[in-house]
Amino acid sequence: MAGSPTVMPPHGTAEQHSGTNHMFALSALTTLFFMWGFITCLNDILIPYLKAMFSLNYTQAMLIQFCFFGAYFVVSLPAGKLVAKLGFQKGIVAGLLIAALGCALFYPAAALAQYSLFLGALFVLASGITILQVSANPFVSILGSPKTASSRLTMTQAFNSLGTTVAPAFGSMLILSAGVASQDGSEVQFSYLLLSAMLLVLALVFALIKLPSVEQQQAQNTVTSRFAILHHKHLSLGAIALFLYVGGEVAIGSFLINYIGLENIVGLEEAHAAHLIAYYWGGAMVGRFIGAAVMQKVNAANVLVFNALMGATLVLLAIFANGTLAMWSLLLVGLCNSIMFPTIFSLAINSLKSQTAQASGLLCLAIVGGAIVPLLQGMLADSIGLQASFILPLLCFVYIAYYGFAGTTPQKFKRFDIQPEKL
């Protein structure tokens, strides 16, 4: 998916560990990126399934994303402290075990047919994934030369995108294949118990293998307010842009199956529509490679503006068009989403120097947009209709275009220039 929370960057040098150990460790870590991308994208399959099972309206169905992405906001900072205490490898094992527990909790939730239990299981699952991300991202960044850290993260993020691309086919086959009329929860029980078993196997593997030993840089205690750095204008506006980007991306993915199922669009059943979601997330994967090449020649802010305006245009078509044109317009938005998270993130922390790590932690809290924006769109869908509700993601793209055009220059707010030492 979009991105992931981080902790204070560790220190260490490539010379401390052999290249063989690096390759083995990176190969093992890529499985984690794949798994959390896979599990996160399964929410797009789970939403129409539980919506039909419990006869939910759109607002109630979007509580799935609210609980899942809300965990990022609640757990990311405590997870950082946990990983700082346990170390990266034990942090990974802890995250896998908690995620496995969350998947296992789907069994009693389905057996008791309680929607609230499903939401609780999702929160536990997402908490485990948050710990995984807090552990794995900085670990990848230091397994080798600092000069190639970005390329290593890009490579592992590609596996994350691969997970989001193949998950719809898995969900369609195991969860939605029986159709909405016969849903009793058994499909979810089997699928998530299978995922739980896979996560437990991974936890055992990571508990037994020997990964390179690295040190973590301890955060220094200061009296500076955590939010004092928001007086940097490009960081504050960037945090809003990141919030809206994650929210818009998740919202579109969450409603895609129901949107494709509308009679004036294509009218496909859920199981068939689920296969098409792969084009949305697959477009994001392909777009990352295209964007990485383009931004070698073109200013990143300009690329962000272009992608945001193209995304807004495609969503506009999805609102007012019908048939296959509307469907493909919305699916192709994934291609526009591709470069947004890393581009907004890098532009927002530009020129912050010693405050970069603190800014990164704050930006990662903006992932909570994935909890808020889909819920708001659900409310809109219930009041003005599903197709018209995409006005909300459209506005998200408009703001992102504004940020790329006018908000990325490093500067401070003039009238409200906060002095950190006074906070």
Side-chain angles (χ1 to χ4, degrees):
M1 293 292 284
S4 53
T6 57
V7 289
M8 290 293 290
H11 62 80
T13 63
E15 293 73 22
Q16 290 176 307
H17 318 298
S18 71
T20 302
N21 283 343
H22 288 169
M23 289 305 298
F24 173 74
L26 281 172
S27 298
L29 289 166
T30 53
T31 62
L32 301 180
F33 283 77
F34 176 88
M35 282 301 295
W36 74 59
F38 186 95
I39 290 172
T40 302
C41 193
L42 273 186
N43 288 352
D44 296 343
I45 306 297
L46 200 61
I47 287 168
Y49 182 93
L50 295 181
K51 184 177 185 295
M53 181 178 175
F54 292 104
S55 301
L56 306 173
N57 60 29
Y58 287 114
T59 304
Q60 292 167 331
M62 286 306 113
L63 289 175
I64 292 171
Q65 299 291 31
F66 182 82
C67 289
F68 192 90
F69 284 92
Y72 279 75
F73 186 80
V74 174
V75 178
S76 62
L77 295 181
K81 295 179 180 179
L82 177 67
V83 172
K85 183 177 181 180
L86 295 179
F88 292 118
Q89 185 165 356
K90 290 182 180 178
I92 288 170
V93 174
L96 286 167
L97 290 174
I98 294 172
L101 173 62
C103 287
L105 289 174
F106 275 72
Y107 191 93
L112 296 172
Q114 293 291 322
Y115 185 50
S116 59
L117 294 181
F118 276 109
L119 297 178
L122 280 164
F123 185 87
V124 174
L125 172 57
S127 298
I129 291 176
T130 302
I131 297 171
L132 271 183
Q133 297 200 35
V134 168
S135 303
N137 278 292
F139 202 5
V140 169
S141 71
I142 51 123
L143 287 177
S145 169
K147 294 181 180 179
T148 57
S150 295
S151 66
R152 288 194 299 276
L153 281 170
T154 299
M155 183 270 291
T156 52
Q157 285 291 339
F159 279 86
N160 179 268
S161 294
L162 179 62
T164 64
T165 302
V166 302
F170 172 89
S172 173
M173 180 177 63
L174 292 182
I175 298 177
L176 294 178
S177 58
V180 298
S182 60
Q183 290 172 356
D184 59 3
S186 59
E187 298 89 354
V188 166
Q189 286 177 319
F190 174 77
S191 301
Y192 278 85
L193 280 180
L194 181 61
L195 286 173
S196 181
M198 293 170 65
L199 291 168
L200 286 173
V201 170
L202 277 176
L204 180 62
V205 169
F206 274 92
L208 295 178
I209 63 176
K210 184 174 178 60
L211 293 178
S213 177
V214 297
E215 298 178 55
Q216 291 173 256
Q217 181 180 357
Q218 300 298 321
Q220 296 180 349
N221 293 323
T222 67
V223 295
T224 304
S225 167
R226 181 176 296 275
F227 296 96
I229 54 172
L230 287 176
H231 70 301
H232 292 282
K233 185 177 180 180
H234 69 293
L235 173 61
S236 299
L237 298 180
I240 298 171
L242 209 62
F243 176 94
L244 295 175
Y245 157 69
V246 175
E249 180 191 51
V250 172
I252 292 172
S254 300
F255 287 102
L256 261 174
I257 291 178
N258 291 115
Y259 176 82
I260 293 171
L262 293 175
E263 289 299 324
N264 66 310
I265 304 300
V266 185
L268 288 181
E269 294 182 356
E270 282 85 352
H272 297 295
H275 287 286
L276 293 170
I277 298 180
Y279 288 100
Y280 179 70
W281 296 111
M285 178 175 63
V286 172
R288 282 179 175 173
F289 293 106
I290 297 173
V294 169
M295 284 189 284
Q296 296 291 325
K297 304 289 185 180
V298 183
N299 179 274
N302 292 338
V303 176
L304 180 64
V305 172
F306 175 81
N307 277 41
L309 291 177
M310 285 300 299
T313 302
L314 289 169
V315 175
L316 196 63
L317 279 173
I319 294 173
F320 291 104
N322 295 309
T324 55
L325 173 62
M327 180 189 75
W328 283 108
S329 294
L330 199 57
L331 289 172
L332 287 173
V333 173
L335 191 63
C336 301
N337 287 338
S338 56
I339 55 91
M340 288 191 184
F341 186 93
T343 304
I344 295 171
F345 201 100
S346 60
L347 290 171
I349 63 175
N350 184 32
S351 301
L352 293 184
K353 299 179 181 178
S354 63
Q355 295 178 305
T356 297
Q358 188 181 9
S360 298
L362 284 172
L363 285 172
C364 286
L365 295 180
I367 293 175
V368 76
I372 305 299
V373 176
L375 186 64
L376 294 176
Q377 187 174 347
M379 294 177 183
L380 276 177
D382 287 328
S383 59
I384 64 174
L386 177 56
Q387 190 169 5
S389 73
F390 283 92
I391 186 68
L392 187 57
L394 171 63
L395 294 175
C396 292
F397 283 122
V398 170
Y399 177 86
I400 294 167
Y402 158 74
Y403 176 67
F405 181 75
T408 61
T409 303
Q411 58 181 300
K412 296 181 179 181
F413 288 110
K414 295 179 180 180
R415 293 185 62 187
F416 303 100
D417 191 5
I418 303 171
Q419 299 298 321
E421 64 273 10
K422 294 182 180 180
L423 295 175

